[in-house]
Amino acid sequence: MNERGHVVNAVLLGVGTGLLLEPTVSVAALQSVVLVGVPVVLGALFPDIDTSFGTHRKTFHNVWVLGIFVAFPYFTGNLQYVWLGITTHYALDLLGNVKGMGIFHPFPGYYDIPVGVPVTSKWADVVTLAVTAFELVIVAAIIRAGRAGVLESPLFTTLLDAVPV
C-alpha cells in the first residue's frame, strides 16, 4: 500500500476506535479520538522507516517489531494503541502489494495474501476502505465483548494470566 493509503486507514481507524470507546458528542469523545488516533497514526507510519535504512518490507515489517510494540505498554505504561497502527499497516501491505513482505524476517521469504491488489490498481483505495471497515468491525466487537464482561470470563483471565509481563 502507498503512504496515502496508510495515512487514510490510520486516521479513520484512530478516529473510529476513539469514537467507539467514547460514543458521545463531547469533550471526552474528542480526547478519546486524540488519545487513540495519534498512537495509531504513529504506528501505521512506523514500519516504513525501513525505506530510509534497512530493506523495505522486511526490516520493520515483521512479527518481531509487532511483538515489541504489543509489549511496549506493559513496560512503559503509554502508547497502548501503537500496535494497532502497526497491525493495520501490515494488513494493508499484505493486501495491497504484489511483492509481499518479510513478515518473519530475518528468515527468508516474502509473504502476501493472494487476493491483494497492486498499489497502482484502481481498486487500491477500495481495498484500503474495505480493510478499514473490517478492522473497525473487529474493534467494535472487542469493545462490546469487553463492556459485556466476556473478556473477564475464566477462559480469557486464564489466557491473560499466562502472558508474562
Side-chain angles (χ1 to χ4, degrees), residues 81-97:
Y81 297 97
V82 171
W83 67 270
L84 185 57
I86 291 173
T87 302
T88 193
H89 185 109
Y90 292 0
L92 287 174
D93 276 359
L94 287 169
L95 286 165
N97 168 10

Side-chain angles (χ1 to χ4, degrees), residues 92-105:
L92 287 174
D93 276 359
L94 287 169
L95 286 165
N97 168 10
V98 292
K99 181 181 179 185
M101 37 184 266
I103 196 78
F104 299 109
H105 178 73

Side-chain angles (χ1 to χ4, degrees), residues 24-64:
T24 62
V25 179
S26 65
V27 172
L30 180 59
Q31 288 174 327
S32 179
V33 166
V34 171
L35 290 173
V36 173
V38 170
V40 169
V41 171
L42 290 173
L45 298 178
F46 179 81
D48 281 341
I49 290 174
D50 64 13
T51 59
S52 297
F53 59 91
T55 304
H56 185 53
R57 293 206 173 101
K58 270 190 171 182
T59 307
F60 290 109
H61 286 72
N62 57 63
V63 294
W64 323 118

